[in-house]
Amino acid sequence: MIREIVIYGIAILRIKGKRVEIFDAKLRALADDMLETMYQANGIGLAAQQVGEALQLTVIDVSQAEARPSQMWIDGAEVDPKEHMPLVLVNPEIQFGQEIEIGSEGCLSFPDIIGDIPRAAKISVKARDLDGKSIEFEAAGLLARAVQHEADHLNGILFIDRMSSALKSSLAGKLKRLASESG
Ligand SMILES: [Zn+2]
């Protein structure tokens, strides 16, 4: 089922998601809804808060982003990220590499807003899948960026929080308008 995407200005986007303890059909149905909603909106990631649920759950699929490559490693061996999409990450934990990369990002909760955001170029991710099984991988490129963006959502952090103050003030009018329309 396609859900309505929560737009900036609604309080749930600022709420830290609860850890998932029960891996049941309800969780799977929510993840299915999130994937359907993300694909319909042509997004590459969606967090539970964006469909109105404050939970540590996010879905990601970078396989259609041909112009922005991703790299992925499992047990130290490089794999084809496309073969591991979509990713459903429950209770994700990230370790950040030291190198920082600046790249452009948008967000389905911020229609028509794009900005350069600094992120770790490479990350290690530990999470659970929908069966509660452990998932571990390393990521770089767009996948690393997407995971960091979504993991931020799960903690109530938005990409505007990571923009330079100059960029954020140049977007102030647009942000104010968004918040007043959604609220
Ligand atoms: Zn987002």
Side-chain angles (χ1 to χ4, degrees):
M1 184 181 77
I2 291 169
R3 304 249 195 149
E4 194 176 336
I5 295 175
V6 172
I7 301 299
Y8 174 65
I10 309 259
I12 192 154
L13 290 178
R14 288 300 191 184
I15 296 174
K16 185 178 163 80
K18 270 196 215 145
R19 276 182 74 83
V20 173
E21 308 288 352
I22 299 168
F23 296 81
D24 59 1
K26 212 176 131 194
L27 183 71
R28 186 170 293 274
L30 174 58
D32 284 347
D33 283 356
M34 287 168 59
L35 283 167
E36 211 180 324
T37 304
M38 175 184 80
Y39 288 129
Q40 201 245 356
N42 293 315
I44 62 168
L46 194 68
Q49 278 86 343
Q50 292 177 283
V51 295
E53 308 273 353
L55 280 176
Q56 294 286 323
L57 168 66
T58 180
V59 298
I60 290 169
D61 190 338
V62 295
S63 57
Q64 296 307 308
E66 303 284 349
R68 296 183 71 182
S70 292
Q71 281 178 289
M72 187 177 190
W73 296 263
I74 295 175
D75 295 331
E78 190 164 3
V79 298
D80 182 355
K82 281 187 187 172
E83 287 173 13
H84 297 271
M85 299 296 133
L87 278 173
V88 177
L89 303 178
V90 182
N91 303 336
E93 285 168 26
I94 299 179
Q95 278 191 302
F96 303 92
Q98 293 200 331
E99 192 194 329
I100 302 295
E101 228 168 47
I102 294 179
S104 81
E105 282 179 32
C107 179
L108 293 176
S109 294
F110 292 80
D112 304 324
I113 291 182
I114 286 177
D116 281 343
I117 310 289
R119 299 280 185 191
K122 195 170 176 188
I123 56 172
S124 301
V125 183
K126 282 187 187 179
R128 300 273 162 187
D129 68 12
L130 287 171
D131 297 314
K133 278 192 294 191
S134 131
I135 308 174
E136 288 188 35
F137 63 93
E138 291 173 282
L142 184 62
L143 178 59
R145 181 167 293 279
V147 172
Q148 289 172 83
H149 179 114
E150 299 313 324
D152 269 356
H153 271 297
L154 303 186
N155 292 312
I157 299 166
L158 301 172
F159 79 144
I160 53 171
D161 305 341
R162 300 197 183 275
M163 286 177 179
S164 68
S165 48
L167 175 58
K168 204 177 163 185
S169 53
S170 76
L171 292 171
K174 267 190 172 176
L175 290 171
K176 211 174 154 188
R177 216 170 313 129
L178 265 188
S180 68
E181 284 166 9
S182 67

